[in-house]
Amino acid sequence: MLIKKPADTLPSEITAPDVYRDRRRFLQTAALALGGMALPDWAAAGERLANVGKSRYDAAGEKLTPLKDISSYNNFYEFGTDKFSPAQTAGSLRTRPWSVAVEGEVRHPKTYAIEDLLKLAPLEERIYRLRCVEGWSMVVPWVGFPLSEVIKRADPTGNAKYVEFTTLYDPRQMPGQRDRVLDWPYVEGLRLDEAMHPLAILAVGLYGEVLPNQNGAPIRLVVPWKYGFKSIKSIVRIRLVENQPLSSWMKANPHEYAFYSNVNPAVDHPRWSQAKERRIGEFFKRPTLPFNGYGDQVAKLYTGMDLRKYF
Amino acid sequence: MSKTQVWIAWLKALLFVACLFPLGRLLWFAYADRLGANPIEFITRSTGTWTLVFLLLSLSVTPLRQLLGQAQLIKFRRMIGLYAFFYACLHFTTYFWLDQFFDWPAIVKDIIKRPFITVGMASFLLMTPLALTSTNAMIRRLGGRNWQRLHRLVYAVGVGGVLHYLWLVKKDLTQPLIYGAVLTVLLGYRIWVLWRKHPWRSKRAMSAGTVRLQ
């Protein structure tokens, strides 16, 4: 009787490790998603946020940009460099569990669970204009609380002059980080007095609902008088520092992006004009306002500074 | 008409319709509200991209017809080139009308101050005489040799088009570099042919349309 020796596994039949790991990740995600359904405090995008107060800082009379546009036209390079990718791929970001470390030149460093941050201060709605450095703008009803609430509790030392923010780094959750378009993780910064300004907020929602992932869930910065890229998304670290932080865009192109990046129609981007902007949903361009229209509140932060030099 | 001529006529008709796909897609997206939050940007990007695609397609006709030994391919080049100009016209109309809304001072400033717009505008201007001299009558009037000399401008247009894309991108250069690589191959092929003093390269053979396989 002839007993055939079974053929060895051909190299082509072996599942490549990355495919194998993808499968494992798929199962993990599936398990998480199933588990999530059972959890009562699973904060899904679009879930209603409770006890949101109205703010005195409202862009009165301006028409809100529809939620559909705010959540489908995003610059969030961690999920791809075009505007449409983040809405399609940001589902892979897990926003629970999530923690934010507040550290550096502070007397009371602390790592907050996101649930505790949400209870840190009363949530309020802030309707702000958002002006992107690319020349388009929106009006967004954010939900959040002043950034100063977090900084005050940390009690900065005398050395603290700036605040440095860092986004999550995890290429498995943020596929765009597999391409070295920017030097990941994304880093942004503010001067301490800018960060303490009442207009600067940490946002956790928009339109009264939990922030969609593509808009920077679970927690992001919103600094309405600066170009949009300053408002860093999906923050994991807030660090008080002595020296001016080097932001991701400064690192990527120091000639085109500087630290302050205040909205300024008089200072063009080296490659395009900043004099006008297209409000999403409008046909005609509208003139861009100095400090994005928040000059009355923030211009005093920059008295005596040459804003052409410190653009 | 010979059998080949019938075939070519059909293929030309097919190509004509196929080349309308990008426009049809835009119109459909506009109708179905799928242009996204910033429709003007979408239209600008789309018409610009397709201009570049048709430009590169028109530049690949000569290499393809030589490498594949399909002399008949030349019959489709004019249409592809004219479609490149057609999408370039849509691209410029979008810029003048939808984007700038005929704000001439702003447009002039843009052209002077922004290198990517300067080079884009220059490329468009260079395309115009090529489109105008694309008819059989104009080819006859100019004479094959002059016509061909004039139409070498398309190489500059191709380089200008890729630079225009490269300089406008904020950070991620992947897409413009892909177009740049294709252009490099297409122009590199011509340099290579010249360098080898290839018999096909002789102007007499090209204007007469007689192509022999080596």
Side-chain angles (χ1 to χ4, degrees), chain A residues 68-70 72-73 75 77 81 83-84 132-134 136 138 180-182 229 249 252-253 256-257 268-276 278 280-285, chain B residues 33-42 44-45 94-95 97-101 103 106 109-110 113-117 164-175:
Chain A
K68 177 175 143 272
D69 290 340
I70 298 175
S72 66
Y73 188 74
N75 271 327
Y77 280 18
T81 53
K83 302 282 190 302
F84 310 102
C132 178
V133 73
E134 295 166 353
W136 53 268
M138 295 182 174
R180 301 213 57 83
V181 191
L182 292 171
F229 66 87
W249 280 105
N253 199 337
E256 297 188 344
Y257 304 97
D268 285 345
H269 185 279
R271 288 182 289 150
W272 55 82
S273 164
Q274 296 291 25
K276 287 195 227 169
R278 172 161 288 114
I280 294 303
E282 290 181 357
F283 181 78
F284 293 107
K285 286 188 176 178
Chain B
D33 192 19
R34 279 176 60 188
L35 291 174
N38 197 344
I40 296 174
E41 181 191 64
F42 191 102
T44 311
R45 287 292 173 108
T94 311
Y95 170 70
W97 182 26
L98 299 182
D99 191 54
Q100 298 290 340
F101 205 75
D103 181 350
K109 217 175 119 193
D110 248 7
K113 272 185 82 176
R114 321 282 162 210
F116 84 94
I117 296 183
H164 173 64
Y165 195 1
L166 201 67
W167 287 343
L168 80 90
V169 168
K170 200 162 83 178
K171 185 65 198 159
D172 186 2
L173 298 177
T174 318
Q175 289 287 329

Side-chain angles (χ1 to χ4, degrees), chain A residues 63-72 138-139 206-207 280-281:
Chain A
K63 197 169 157 281
L64 300 183
T65 304
L67 178 60
K68 177 175 143 272
D69 290 340
I70 298 175
S71 59
S72 66
M138 295 182 174
V139 180
L206 59 87
Y207 269 104
I280 294 303

Side-chain angles (χ1 to χ4, degrees), chain A residues 46-279:
Chain A
E47 201 170 287
R48 207 83 212 145
L49 286 162
N51 305 322
V52 177
K54 280 276 166 199
S55 166
R56 60 200 170 96
Y57 297 105
D58 279 357
E62 296 212 47
K63 197 169 157 281
L64 300 183
T65 304
L67 178 60
K68 177 175 143 272
D69 290 340
I70 298 175
S71 59
S72 66
Y73 188 74
N74 307 99
N75 271 327
F76 198 171
Y77 280 18
E78 281 81 345
F79 296 102
T81 53
D82 67 86
K83 302 282 190 302
F84 310 102
S85 292
Q88 288 157 8
T89 60
S92 54
L93 176 68
R94 293 198 310 269
T95 57
R96 294 293 186 282
W98 190 278
S99 56
V100 181
V102 183
E103 55 183 42
E105 291 291 347
V106 292
R107 287 181 195 92
H108 307 297
K110 183 174 175 175
T111 298
Y112 290 92
I114 186 70
E115 291 80 4
D116 299 331
L117 263 183
L118 283 164
K119 288 179 227 143
L120 188 86
L123 295 182
E124 46 181 292
E125 178 164 77
R126 296 279 184 106
I127 299 174
Y128 282 162
R129 289 176 289 275
L130 173 88
R131 169 64 155 81
C132 178
V133 73
E134 295 166 353
W136 53 268
S137 63
M138 295 182 174
V139 180
V140 186
W142 301 105
V143 176
F145 56 90
L147 169 63
S148 61
E149 296 284 350
V150 176
I151 297 174
K152 264 189 271 176
R153 281 171 177 76
D155 195 7
T157 68
N159 288 335
K161 302 281 188 302
Y162 295 90
V163 190
E164 181 190 273
F165 305 84
T166 310
T167 296
L168 174 72
Y169 176 71
D170 184 352
R172 283 179 310 168
Q173 294 187 56
M174 298 180 144
Q177 289 175 333
R178 290 173 208 165
D179 299 323
R180 301 213 57 83
V181 191
L182 292 171
D183 190 6
W184 310 112
Y186 196 82
V187 170
E188 259 305 340
L190 294 173
R191 217 169 55 195
L192 186 54
D193 58 339
E194 296 176 322
M196 294 302 287
H197 194 281
L199 281 179
I201 60 163
L202 288 170
V204 296
L206 59 87
Y207 269 104
E209 298 170 353
V210 170
L211 209 56
N213 285 1
Q214 61 269 33
N215 292 91
I219 190 160
R220 66 169 291 168
L221 181 68
V222 180
V223 202
W225 69 93
K226 292 174 181 284
Y227 292 118
F229 66 87
K230 292 294 286 184
S231 295
I232 183 170
K233 302 182 181 86
S234 306
I235 299 170
V236 293
R237 189 163 64 239
I238 299 173
R239 192 178 172 81
L240 281 285
V241 292
E242 191 172 355
N243 298 316
Q244 182 176 291
L246 186 64
S247 75
S248 292
W249 280 105
M250 291 164 75
K251 224 190 251 185
N253 199 337
H255 172 62
E256 297 188 344
Y257 304 97
F259 180 75
Y260 287 95
S261 297
N262 293 316
V263 175
N264 190 347
V267 177
D268 285 345
H269 185 279
R271 288 182 289 150
W272 55 82
S273 164
Q274 296 291 25
K276 287 195 227 169
E277 67 200 52
R278 172 161 288 114
R279 179 68 52 83

